[in-house]
């Protein structure tokens, strides 16, 4: 499945031009579907400032949330890569700020993830470990681990994620789950901790029981730490996409 080429096509929606996969099965797991617009007849007033719509005060729909706003409350056009828009699109203030924060992930973190990093990888309860390079596939759907062998982990099948963080003091360490990790200090530069490893639970296609995969940083620990921090920013987007 992961080796099938991912063709793209240009489509026009009411919100603008989008570059989407030809096969919907290969949509990025970080992607969000376009929202249903609130019908014009159901929004006589701006849903932000309560201004009444008329011939002069026109209504506009936010391309991210689909709600109705006046031009004052929905005038900015902001890039929205999670919906595959080619150009920046009109968004309300709250959605625009959210999209701007996500732009760092697409501008910086994706490059870190697809570039990969080196880890010592242990599968399930096996005592044998091997050096492997882990990277995110270009279609964002898989983690590829390459060493003596090749392993693929589908992101949508990851059920839990933990990170081992080294404290600034020698010999100290702690384990953080992805839920607490996402907003923890060490994800940004200057934090007191550095990610040193990751523990994944995932269920391969066709398998009845989940499998565990442990990754520990080797060699360039700074590169591995940056990769792990980017991976947990990715986890936040993944779970947001599941909940939409």
């Amino acid at each position: 499945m992961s080796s099938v080429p991912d063709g793209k096509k240009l489509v026009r929606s009411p919100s603008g031009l989008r570059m989407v996969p030809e096969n919907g099965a290969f949509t990025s797991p970080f992607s969000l579907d376009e929202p249903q617009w609130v019908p014009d007849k159901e929004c006589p007033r701006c849903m932000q400032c309560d201004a009444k719509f008329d011939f002069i005060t026109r209504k506009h729909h936010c391309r991210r949330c689909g709600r109705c706003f006046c031009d004052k409350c929905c005038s900015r056009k902001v890039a929205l890569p999670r919906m595959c828009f080619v150009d920046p699109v009109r968004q309300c203030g709250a959605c625009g700020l959210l999209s701007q924060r996500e732009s760092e992930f697409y501008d910086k973190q994706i490059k870190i993830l697809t570039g990969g990093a080196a880890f010592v990888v242990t599968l399930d309860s096996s005592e044998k470990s091997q050096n492997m390079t882990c990277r995110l596939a270009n279609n964002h759907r898989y983690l590829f681990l390459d060493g003596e062998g090749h392993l693929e982990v589908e992101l949508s099948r990851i059920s839990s994620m933990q990170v081992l963080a080294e404290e600034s003091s020698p010999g100290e360490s702690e384990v953080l789950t992805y839920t607490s990790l996402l907003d923890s200090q060490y994800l940004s530069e200057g934090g007191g901790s550095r990610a040193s490893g990751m523990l994944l639970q995932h269920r391969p296609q066709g398998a009845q029981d989940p499998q565990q995969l442990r990754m520990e940083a080797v060699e360039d620990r700074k590169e591995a730490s940056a990769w792990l921090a980017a991976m947990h920013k990715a986890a936040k987007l993944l779970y947001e996409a599941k909940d939409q």
Side-chain angles (χ1 to χ4, degrees), residues 25 41-42 52-53 63 86 93 121 127 150 163 213 218 223 239 242:
K41 62 182 180 180
E42 294 182 11
K52 185 177 180 180
F53 296 126
R63 272 48 176 175
V86 175
V121 178
E127 296 182 358
H150 175 76
V163 157
L213 185 149
V218 294
E223 179 184 67
Y239 280 86
K242 286 182 179 180

Side-chain angles (χ1 to χ4, degrees), residues 3-227:
S3 63
V4 177
D6 300 335
K8 300 281 188 177
K9 63 181 179 180
L10 192 64
V11 298
R12 182 179 294 278
S13 74
S15 299
L17 289 174
R18 302 172 65 221
M19 186 66 73
V20 300
E22 290 184 348
N23 186 337
F26 292 97
T27 300
S28 167
F30 303 122
S31 296
L32 297 175
D33 293 332
E34 284 189 81
Q36 291 288 332
W37 284 10
V38 175
D40 289 348
K41 62 182 180 180
E42 294 182 11
C43 51
R45 294 179 177 272
C46 174
M47 302 179 79
Q48 177 67 36
C49 71
D50 205 38
K52 185 177 180 180
F53 296 126
D54 53 30
F55 182 74
I56 297 176
T57 305
R58 306 292 299 276
K59 66 181 63 175
H60 303 277
H61 286 86
C62 172
R63 272 48 176 175
R64 180 166 182 140
C65 68
R67 298 193 299 162
C68 289
F69 301 92
C70 65
D71 183 70
K72 181 181 178 180
C73 296
C74 192
S75 60
R76 294 189 60 194
K77 291 188 175 181
V78 183
L80 185 48
R82 294 190 72 182
M83 292 185 187
C84 304
F85 286 110
V86 175
D87 300 309
V89 292
R90 188 185 293 268
Q91 298 181 54
C92 66
C95 287
L97 289 175
L98 183 58
S99 295
Q100 282 183 310
R101 288 198 296 267
E102 292 173 351
S103 66
E104 180 187 357
F105 176 76
Y106 284 89
D107 293 340
K108 181 180 178 181
Q109 308 301 330
I110 283 288
K111 294 178 182 178
I112 293 174
L113 291 171
T114 54
F119 296 93
V120 173
V121 178
T122 307
L123 303 178
D124 285 326
S125 57
S126 173
E127 296 182 358
K128 183 179 179 180
S129 302
Q130 59 177 306
N131 291 343
M132 305 186 83
T133 297
C134 184
R135 66 178 179 87
L136 180 68
N138 290 333
N139 63 11
H140 306 164
R141 293 179 55 81
Y142 296 85
L143 291 179
F144 291 158
L145 294 95
D146 292 293
E148 296 179 1
H150 175 76
L151 178 66
E152 298 182 3
V153 177
E154 190 171 358
L155 264 64
S156 62
R157 294 184 174 275
I158 295 176
S159 56
S160 68
M161 188 181 297
Q162 291 181 318
V163 157
L164 175 65
E166 288 184 341
E167 290 294 323
S168 54
S169 301
E172 294 185 5
S173 64
E174 61 177 333
V175 175
L176 302 171
T177 65
Y178 76 87
T179 50
S180 61
L181 173 70
L182 293 173
D183 298 316
S184 64
Q185 187 181 11
Y186 83 82
L187 282 176
S188 55
E189 294 183 7
S193 305
R194 173 176 291 181
S196 61
M198 180 167 65
L199 188 66
L200 293 179
Q201 291 275 356
H202 68 107
R203 190 186 302 273
Q205 190 169 8
Q208 292 185 347
D209 300 319
Q211 296 183 7
Q212 179 173 286
L213 185 149
R214 183 181 182 89
M215 300 163 54
E216 296 179 277
V218 294
E219 298 176 357
D220 190 342
R221 301 180 74 87
K222 184 176 180 180
E223 179 184 67
S225 180
W227 192 93

